[in-house]
Amino acid sequence: MKLAQKLTLAFLLVSLVATGLAVASVGVTTSIGFNSFIVDQREAAFLALAKSYYQEHSTWQGVDDALRENGLLPPASKPGSKAPDPQPFALVDINREVIIPSGDYQVGTKIQKGILEKGIPIELGGLRVGTMLVNGQKITRSAIEQKYIDSVNRSLLVAALGGAVLALLIGFFLARSLTRPLRALNTATHQMASGKLEQEVPVTSKDEIGELAESFNQMSADLAKANRSRRQMTADIAHDLRNPLTVLGGYLESLKDGKLKPSTERYQTMQAEVTLLQKQVDDLRILSLADAGELMLQVQSVNPYEILGRVQAAYLQQAQAKGVGLEVITRNVVKDVELDPERLEQVLGNLVSNALRYTPEGGTIQLSASEGQTCVIIHVTDTGCGIPPSDLPYIFERSYRGDPSRSGEESGLGLAISRSIVELHGGKITVKSELGKGSEFQIQIPYSAKR
């Protein structure tokens, strides 16, 4: 059974139970109230007729016939016939003897004074000439009274059936309305299962179902984006690996056929291509370890300037060859920080390598550090060409290349790896850039790094 059917049946069941209880309650209340009204009405009529009869005749003899004529007593039973219907009123004369029976009060029975005091006195000229006793016996309705009650009960039953039909219709439309977003989600999930990851369902409410739809849309968009990124990264990596492999294959084939003579320069070129391949494979390995949460840090207490000095020494020759200044600014004093120095050197190496690639001759690259309230901040600033504003939100994504000319020079994973390593320390990496003026990367590392 589908959810819409279950909800419809649930609405109908609740409506039937509520309507049934309401009808039963109204029916019982109406019956009790109507019976009470009949008793009060007959009591007043009985009392008025009895008093009028005695005032006119000065005796109770024949009062029973007068009461029967006015329908206040059931007809007298004939021999062998059914006993008359019970009635709730007894009449007692001045001698405390029952003259109109009711229930346990039989004709001629002497009534005690205590019981008489609970009855309704019948007085004429200030003298008590009789007493009406109410024994609480169930009253029998007349044909007209019973017809009225039957009419009320039929009306209640019709109202209950109409309410049930209305509840069924409302329940059906409510169930359809409530399950419409779920049906859309179900269709979208089947589309995603078939490979169409980018799905969007309409958000028609602000309740939990609406929040679920929004979360699904966000998840679908993220999955589609991740899938596009994965495909792009796979294509880029395949392209990047093909170039050095082509160079190596060409050299090896020419050397084997004797078309090229072995030389130091040619072996150095081949070694450079192998080194590039190893770098790309290492980058992929680091990212896979970071994704799996298995990239371990060897944390130790170290001063950030020690790391900056080692990075400067590693890239100083390359910077000088390009005519770019590489400086470590030490005007700020910073305390030691707990971090993995090798991993942080890898991050800074990626940043400096990128800065060298985009900083023209005569430019400068500065490495510095400063203290924040809870973290140390490492700055890598260059006077290069800058990063276009449209590229800034994406530069830390895998294989993102704002400049297509970078293809083949690197794996495109350097900044993604840098972000993973910094986040593994519990920190974050940000960038500010202006076209034609340069860029500044900031790395924030907490004083107490994660272990």
Side-chain angles (χ1 to χ4, degrees), residues 90-92 95-98 104-106 108-117 133:
L91 183 61
V92 182
N95 297 318
R96 295 189 287 121
E97 290 184 1
V98 176
D104 294 334
Y105 304 133
Q106 300 300 316
T109 304
K110 200 85 168 179
I111 304 300
Q112 298 178 357
K113 290 184 178 181
I115 297 176
L116 282 180
E117 292 176 356
L133 297 178

Side-chain angles (χ1 to χ4, degrees), residues 218-234:
Q218 184 62 49
M219 179 194 69
S220 176
D222 291 343
L223 282 175
K225 180 180 178 181
N227 190 51
R228 288 193 299 268
S229 177
R230 177 185 60 80
R231 290 179 177 177
Q232 183 62 45
M233 185 177 71
T234 302

Side-chain angles (χ1 to χ4, degrees), residues 12-13 131 156 165 193 242 249 329 332 376 384 394 413:
L12 178 61
L13 180 61
T131 304
L156 290 174
V165 173
R242 186 184 301 114
I329 308 301
N332 297 319
V376 66
Y394 310 105
L413 302 176

Side-chain angles (χ1 to χ4, degrees), residues 25 46 60 64 141 168 181 199 250 277 299 337 341 361 399 406 416:
S25 176
F46 188 100
W60 290 117
D64 54 341
R141 301 183 186 126
L168 180 61
Q199 300 293 323
L277 284 173
V299 176
V337 183
E361 184 178 357
S399 292
R406 289 172 54 187

Side-chain angles (χ1 to χ4, degrees), residues 76-98:
S77 60
K78 297 179 180 180
S81 64
K82 180 183 175 183
D85 295 330
Q87 57 93 21
F89 310 120
L91 183 61
V92 182
D93 64 12
I94 194 171
N95 297 318
R96 295 189 287 121
E97 290 184 1
V98 176

Side-chain angles (χ1 to χ4, degrees), residues 307-341:
I307 300 175
L308 295 181
R310 290 200 290 266
V311 172
Q312 181 193 31
Y315 287 88
L316 185 58
Q317 183 177 357
Q318 185 178 344
Q320 290 174 345
K322 194 174 180 182
V324 175
L326 181 57
E327 307 170 352
V328 176
I329 308 301
T330 59
R331 58 176 173 266
N332 297 319
V333 177
V334 295
K335 59 186 178 183
D336 291 354
V337 183
E338 292 185 0
L339 49 79
D340 186 330

Side-chain angles (χ1 to χ4, degrees), residues 213-376:
E214 289 180 350
S215 299
F216 176 86
N217 289 339
Q218 184 62 49
M219 179 194 69
S220 176
D222 291 343
L223 282 175
K225 180 180 178 181
N227 190 51
R228 288 193 299 268
S229 177
R230 177 185 60 80
R231 290 179 177 177
Q232 183 62 45
M233 185 177 71
T234 302
D236 289 342
I237 290 173
H239 181 271
D240 292 343
L241 293 177
R242 186 184 301 114
N243 288 340
L245 287 174
T246 301
V247 173
L248 286 172
Y251 271 103
L252 290 173
E253 185 176 355
S254 297
L255 289 170
K256 182 186 71 171
D257 295 341
K259 296 179 181 179
L260 291 178
K261 298 289 185 181
S263 66
T264 302
E265 292 79 8
R266 290 184 178 122
Y267 287 133
Q268 287 176 344
T269 300
M270 294 170 65
Q271 181 61 44
E273 297 300 326
V274 171
T275 302
L276 178 59
L277 284 173
Q278 290 175 334
K279 174 66 168 55
Q280 292 171 340
V281 171
D282 287 341
D283 286 347
L284 289 173
R285 177 176 174 275
I286 291 173
L287 272 181
S288 65
L289 289 174
D291 288 343
E294 297 176 356
L295 185 61
M296 305 303 295
L297 297 179
Q298 302 298 323
V299 176
Q300 56 184 281
S301 183
V302 63
N303 192 279
Y305 281 119
E306 295 181 19
I307 300 175
L308 295 181
R310 290 200 290 266
V311 172
Q312 181 193 31
Y315 287 88
L316 185 58
Q317 183 177 357
Q318 185 178 344
Q320 290 174 345
K322 194 174 180 182
V324 175
L326 181 57
E327 307 170 352
V328 176
I329 308 301
T330 59
R331 58 176 173 266
N332 297 319
V333 177
V334 295
K335 59 186 178 183
D336 291 354
V337 183
E338 292 185 0
L339 49 79
D340 186 330
E342 291 186 4
R343 292 300 183 190
L344 188 58
E345 285 181 32
Q346 183 179 3
V347 172
L348 292 172
N350 287 333
L351 298 181
V352 172
S353 177
N354 284 341
L356 285 171
R357 186 172 293 108
Y358 295 106
T359 302
E361 184 178 357
T364 58
I365 300 172
Q366 293 183 342
L367 308 177
S368 61
S370 61
E371 287 189 349
Q373 291 184 346
T374 60
C375 62
V376 66

